[in-house]
Amino acid sequence: MFIGLFLVYSWYTSGPEILASYNYPVEEHSVETTDNYILKLVHIPNSPNARNAQSPKPVVFMMHGMSGSSDSYLLIGPSDGLPYLLADAGFDVWLGNSRGNTYSRLHKYMDPKHKSFWNFSWHEMGTRDLPASIDYVLDRTSQRSLHYVGYSQGATQFLVMLSMRPEYNEKIKTSHLTAPAAFLRNMSTGLGSIVEKVILAFDDREWFSNRHGIPSWASIFCSVRPMKSICAALFMMVYGINGDQISKAIIMLILKTLPAGISSRQLKHYLQLKGSSRFCMYDHGKKTNRLIYGSSWPPDYPLKYVKPKSPINLYYSSSDFVVSEENVLLLAEKLSLCELHHIPYYSHIEFQFARAVGTTLNRPIVKLISKYETDRNK
């Protein structure tokens, strides 16, 4: 595994090339949203390791977290990475990319150099990006519903979609939300209160861009051999990681792909939830709120409408200081039907990159999705 990761790191340019390096077939698709953003989907139609897979294959759609991209699910490779494990198990795997990240920087009329391009939060991702992507995938595969996996902001988008567009409940077979960001009353960002206030004061703009072909300063700095250990140590300190949980090889890859670019409004929207017991829409200020919502304060997302075909699976940890155990249990109280899966020792980022993620998280997810399909076909 680690030799493979070293080779990937040495020439890495994109997730599709990582897939090709492991002999997994890959396709790239473009989807246009109702407000004219053009999103890139990465499709893994089959696996070199899958035999006698049923046809048509059940579909799994996966969505990354804030500042990530479809690459985030691919970095740890075939032995433990969820997209590979799902493809090996005979599923048709699709990876989404939210507006504004490395793969989704196009718009039919606007240029990302202009501030108007960045006038969005994860609200628009849930009400526009995710529905457009899911409809495209179901149309391409001639199926009526699919399985959903979402990490952090990928979980946020899912809850926004089903609460605001409840007709999509019928299009979800099973759902698996890892480190699900919704209620954040005791969130720890590690930024400090002064920095958070500065962030909240910014207007809409692009933050944390990392476009392929333009290496980030972190990628250049950390590629120098004497600096690798220092970069790894700083990374683990910032993210609150146990030194045994994430390998240095993975950290170097993460620094090449993250951050993938976000709108400042995405982070501002999360910070607005901090310290409250609400999961609500974006706060534009009282005057604009009255024009948009008809009230001085943004309304809560109506989670009572979140009712997919099967219980929502929530995966959480006691060691996650971004999405705490308390916040996930509060979310569970608000959902009509869900199942809780406790992983005691994961920090937030370890839900994607921990050494043991294949055993503790990804294979159990594959097992639950497979069981659903088996029971359904009896």
Side-chain angles (χ1 to χ4, degrees):
M1 173 182 176
F2 294 110
I3 294 175
L5 289 175
F6 172 78
L7 291 174
V8 167
Y9 177 80
S10 65
W11 56 261
Y12 169 82
T13 56
S14 71
E17 291 192 11
I18 292 178
L19 284 163
S21 74
Y22 291 122
N23 296 318
Y24 282 77
V26 58
E27 300 171 353
E28 295 183 75
H29 296 253
S30 294
V31 178
E32 186 172 337
T33 68
T34 53
D35 55 350
N36 306 120
Y37 284 85
I38 299 171
L39 316 174
K40 181 67 63 70
L41 304 182
V42 176
H43 180 209
I44 311 172
N46 52 65
S47 162
N49 305 313
R51 296 180 180 180
N52 303 319
Q54 69 181 83
S55 183
K57 295 179 180 180
V59 176
V60 181
F61 186 88
M62 304 177 64
M63 182 55 70
H64 59 82
M66 187 178 73
S67 82
S69 70
S70 55
D71 294 357
S72 301
Y73 279 113
L74 301 172
L75 297 183
I76 61 175
S79 60
D80 293 306
L82 185 54
Y84 308 95
L85 296 174
L86 287 165
D88 292 348
F91 292 98
D92 189 357
V93 181
W94 295 74
L95 307 176
N97 282 289
S98 296
R99 62 179 67 190
N101 82 2
T102 306
Y103 294 102
S104 299
R105 295 178 57 82
L106 295 177
H107 189 279
K108 193 172 181 179
Y109 305 110
M110 293 188 292
D111 191 293
K113 294 178 181 178
H114 299 147
K115 286 186 177 181
S116 56
F117 180 95
W118 302 98
N119 185 19
F120 61 80
S121 174
W122 36 261
H123 175 85
E124 287 73 22
M125 296 173 184
T127 56
R128 296 179 184 270
D129 293 6
L130 203 49
S133 298
I134 286 175
D135 285 344
Y136 178 89
V137 169
L138 292 178
D139 181 66
R140 290 282 301 191
T141 59
S142 301
Q143 298 199 38
R144 295 181 179 180
S145 56
L146 49 72
H147 301 275
Y148 184 87
V149 178
Y151 163 69
S152 191
Q153 183 185 260
T156 314
Q157 294 179 50
F158 179 79
L159 296 169
V160 170
M161 178 182 73
L162 294 191
S163 61
M164 299 299 291
R165 303 190 64 178
E167 67 272 19
Y168 279 85
N169 281 285
E170 289 299 311
K171 301 183 181 185
I172 306 299
K173 293 180 179 179
T174 70
S175 49
H176 306 267
L177 309 184
T178 64
F183 295 95
L184 298 172
R185 63 187 175 193
N186 56 357
M187 173 179 66
S188 175
T189 63
L191 296 173
S193 59
I194 295 177
V195 175
E196 289 178 5
K197 289 178 181 178
V198 171
I199 290 171
L200 288 168
F202 270 101
D203 57 1
D204 299 333
R205 64 184 65 205
E206 177 183 13
W207 277 4
F208 310 134
S209 176
N210 183 8
R211 304 166 207 173
H212 290 319
I214 307 177
S216 69
W217 67 267
S219 176
I220 297 171
F221 180 78
C222 295
S223 64
V224 181
R225 179 170 295 181
M227 304 311 302
K228 288 184 179 181
S229 295
I230 295 175
C231 288
L234 288 172
F235 184 90
M236 288 187 285
M237 181 180 69
V238 169
Y239 284 98
I241 299 168
N242 183 321
D244 296 331
Q245 290 299 320
I246 296 184
S247 71
K248 289 182 181 179
I250 285 292
I251 290 174
M252 294 302 106
L253 275 176
I254 294 170
L255 291 172
K256 275 183 167 284
T257 61
L258 296 180
I262 65 170
S263 165
S264 58
R265 188 180 287 197
Q266 291 169 246
L267 182 54
K268 286 169 66 177
H269 198 168
Y270 279 129
L271 288 176
Q272 289 175 357
L273 303 180
K274 185 182 178 183
S276 78
S277 296
R278 302 183 66 198
F279 177 47
C280 59
M281 300 176 201
Y282 189 79
D283 188 349
H284 299 269
K286 290 183 179 180
K287 183 177 180 180
T288 306
N289 286 343
R290 292 189 196 101
L291 294 174
I292 296 175
Y293 306 125
S295 64
S296 298
W297 303 101
D300 291 340
Y301 287 105
L303 293 175
K304 65 182 179 180
Y305 296 129
V306 178
K307 297 180 180 179
K309 293 183 176 183
S310 63
I312 298 173
N313 292 281
L314 303 176
Y315 302 82
Y316 68 102
S317 171
S318 305
S319 301
D320 185 346
F321 298 110
V322 177
V323 180
S324 70
E325 180 176 359
E326 177 188 344
N327 287 326
V328 176
L329 295 180
L330 178 58
L331 172 62
E333 290 177 9
K334 303 291 185 180
L335 297 174
S336 59
L337 200 58
C338 66
E339 293 185 0
L340 292 165
H341 305 267
H342 183 235
I343 301 173
Y345 50 83
Y346 274 6
S347 66
H348 194 67
I349 200 170
E350 287 168 349
F351 277 90
Q352 284 203 300
F353 301 116
R355 291 178 188 269
V357 73
T359 302
T360 58
L361 181 63
N362 291 343
R363 286 185 180 84
I365 290 175
V366 175
K367 186 176 181 179
L368 284 174
I369 294 175
S370 299
K371 184 179 185 302
Y372 179 93
E373 291 295 335
T374 300
D375 292 348
R376 183 167 170 263
N377 292 327
K378 285 182 178 178

